[in-house]
Amino acid sequence: MQKPLDTAELDAALENVHRAGMPGLFAEVRAGNRVWRGAAGVADVDTGRPVTAGLRHRVGSITKTFTAAAVLRKVENGRIGLDTPIGHYLPRLVPGERGDAITVRMLLDHTSGLAEYLPFAYPSLRAFPDLAKTGPESFEDHRFTRFDPVDLIGMGVAAPAVGTPGGAPGVYSNTNYLLLGELLEHVTGIAAEKHITQDIIERAGLQDTGFPAGTHVDGPHSRLYEAWFGMIDPPRDYSVFDMSWVGPAASLVSTVADLNRFFRLLHAGEIVSRSSLEQMRRTVPVISQEGKLIDYGLGLHPVEAPGQATFWGHGGTVWGGGAIAVIRADGERQLAVALNLQRWNRLDAAGVPQPHPIDRALAAFQQVAMYG
C-alpha cells in the first residue's frame, strides 16, 4: 500500500542526519503527485550560510546512468552494438585479445575486468583498497590538473586485470565509463559530455543539470567537505576542482529535483525504450568500490529491503560531495538526496571504516523517505 508523505517525519529525519555530523544535506521525496523538499544544516561551515533544497551539486557516479542511457540510445539506432567488442570501435585504447573479449555490455555493467585507474592517477591512493595506507595529499596536488581521458584509460588498461571479461563477480571501475565516453565520441563525432547534454539532459528538460565547464559549480551551491576517513581534520572544501579526473563517469552537476525528473522519465520509457530499460535492469554481481558485493545493471542498480518494493537508481561520490537518487520500480515513489561531507568514517587499527552516527541517521532518513 502506498504510504503518504509524512512531512514532519521527513523534516525530523533529515535534521537528525545534520545533528549526527553532516554539515548540510538536502532532498526531494515524491509519492504519487505529492512532493516534499527539505534541507538541514549549512552550505558553508565558516559563514553559516544554510543549505536549501534547490542548490546545484556534484552528483558523482549518478553520471553513469546518464552515460549509460546515451549509449543505449545509440544501441537502439544501430550505431553501437551492445554485445560488440570494444576493440571493434577503439582498438588503440583496448588492443589485442582484451579488445576482442570485452564488449560494450561488459563496460556498462563493470564485468570487463579492467582495473580502476584512480590509484595510478593519484599517487597517494596507490595502496587502495588498503585505506590505512592511502592519504589525501593527491587531492590538493590535482585540484587544478586537467587530465586527458585517454591517459586515464591507459592507466586502467595497463594495470593488472581485476577479472576476466564477462566473469563474475565484476569489479566496479571508472575506467569502463571513460571508455564509454570515448565510444560515444567515436560514433557521434562530438565530445561525450556534449552529446549526453544534447541527447539526454536537454531531451529530459533538465534545466539545472550539466557538465562543468571549469573548476567551479555554476549557480547556487554548497561547499563540499572531504574528511578521507579522518585523515583531513577538519574536513577540507573541495567544491572548486577540475573534474576531468572522472569526466563522463562522475562529473555531472545537478539538483535533487532534476535527478528525480530524470529517473522518473527514464523509468517511464521516455529516455530510452522499454526494452532498453529492461536491459539496464538486468543485473550481475559486482564488487563495489567499498568492497561490498552488489547487483549492478547497465548504469543502474537495485536498492532492496526485506519485505519492501525494489527501488532502482544510483549513488555517487566525489571529493566532498555525495548524492543518491532512486525510484520505486512502479515509479510511484522517489528519493534524491545530496550530502556535503564524504568519507566521514574513521578507520580502526585494522584499517576498516568504523560506524558513525551519520550512517544510522542517514539510513533512518532513507527508510522514511523510501518506505514511509
Side-chain angles (χ1 to χ4, degrees), residues 116-123 125-126 174-175 245-246 289 319:
E116 173 63 58
Y117 61 80
L118 194 56
F120 303 95
Y122 282 66
L125 302 183
R126 186 60 56 91
N174 283 298
T175 304
W245 64 280
V246 280
Q289 287 187 318
W319 311 137

Side-chain angles (χ1 to χ4, degrees), residues 9-358:
E9 191 175 15
L10 286 164
D11 287 335
L14 198 72
E15 180 64 29
N16 285 341
V17 184
H18 168 55
R19 291 178 178 174
M22 179 62 58
L25 72 163
F26 46 100
E28 180 185 88
V29 178
R30 303 181 69 93
N33 294 324
R34 292 200 64 195
V35 180
W36 168 89
R37 297 185 183 95
V42 298
D44 187 323
V45 298
D46 293 326
T47 66
R49 173 170 59 92
V51 288
T52 61
L55 294 180
R56 301 186 80 229
H57 194 75
R58 297 197 192 276
V59 300
S61 286
I62 296 174
T63 310
K64 290 182 173 66
T65 313
F66 287 73
T67 300
V71 171
L72 265 295
R73 284 182 54 77
K74 290 303 170 194
V75 172
E76 290 172 8
N77 65 21
R79 300 288 298 281
I80 292 174
L82 193 54
D83 294 303
T84 300
I86 191 62
H88 172 76
Y89 303 104
L90 303 172
R92 287 183 294 178
L93 296 185
V94 192
E97 293 182 2
R98 291 175 92 188
D100 293 336
I102 296 170
T103 66
V104 173
R105 184 190 299 273
M106 294 173 196
L107 298 175
L108 287 161
D109 67 12
H110 298 290
T111 59
S112 69
L114 293 171
E116 173 63 58
Y117 61 80
L118 194 56
F120 303 95
Y122 282 66
S124 67
L125 302 183
R126 186 60 56 91
F128 186 85
D130 187 347
L131 296 175
K133 294 181 180 178
T134 65
E137 297 81 10
S138 295
F139 304 161
E140 202 61 47
D141 295 341
H142 287 310
R143 185 187 285 267
F144 299 107
T145 300
R146 192 69 183 170
F147 285 104
D148 184 332
V150 172
D151 292 340
L152 296 174
I153 291 166
M155 296 175 192
V157 172
V162 294
T164 58
V171 178
Y172 191 97
S173 171
N174 283 298
T175 304
N176 295 316
Y177 275 74
L178 289 197
L179 271 165
L180 291 168
E182 293 302 300
L183 173 61
L184 284 170
E185 181 170 351
H186 174 76
V187 300
T188 66
I190 61 174
E193 289 87 347
K194 184 175 182 181
H195 174 70
I196 295 166
T197 298
Q198 294 174 347
D199 202 42
I200 303 298
I201 295 170
E202 292 177 358
R203 173 179 295 275
L206 307 182
Q207 299 297 313
D208 295 305
T209 299
F211 290 94
T215 57
H216 290 67
V217 177
D218 293 335
H221 63 279
S222 174
R223 295 188 182 276
L224 304 177
Y225 298 100
E226 179 61 52
W228 196 254
F229 307 103
M231 298 180 206
I232 308 176
D233 190 13
R236 188 174 304 139
D237 171 27
Y238 283 111
S239 55
V240 176
F241 212 94
D242 190 305
M243 298 302 293
S244 59
W245 64 280
V246 280
S251 67
L252 203 64
V253 173
S254 191
T255 63
V256 290
D258 266 10
L259 290 178
N260 274 343
R261 176 176 173 82
F262 168 71
F263 279 100
R264 191 161 61 253
L265 292 173
L266 178 68
H267 282 77
E270 296 184 32
I271 303 295
V272 301
S273 69
R274 294 282 187 179
S275 61
S276 291
L277 182 60
E278 288 306 308
Q279 293 286 342
M280 295 180 78
R281 287 177 168 178
R282 187 176 297 177
T283 65
V284 294
V286 168
I287 300 172
S288 73
Q289 287 187 318
E290 294 76 31
K292 299 177 181 178
L293 192 65
I294 63 172
D295 292 324
Y296 196 94
L298 309 185
L300 282 176
H301 63 82
V303 178
E304 299 173 302
Q308 300 286 0
T310 299
F311 281 71
W312 289 89
H314 215 291
T317 67
V318 292
W319 311 137
I324 303 162
V326 293
I327 183 169
R328 204 167 65 188
D330 64 4
E332 287 299 307
R333 191 138 183 154
Q334 289 187 265
L335 162 67
V337 57
L339 315 166
N340 68 2
L341 172 69
Q342 288 299 298
R343 266 70 60 170
W344 53 77
N345 307 84
R346 291 179 179 266
L347 305 178
D348 65 11
V352 177
Q354 292 302 286
H356 189 285
I358 291 175

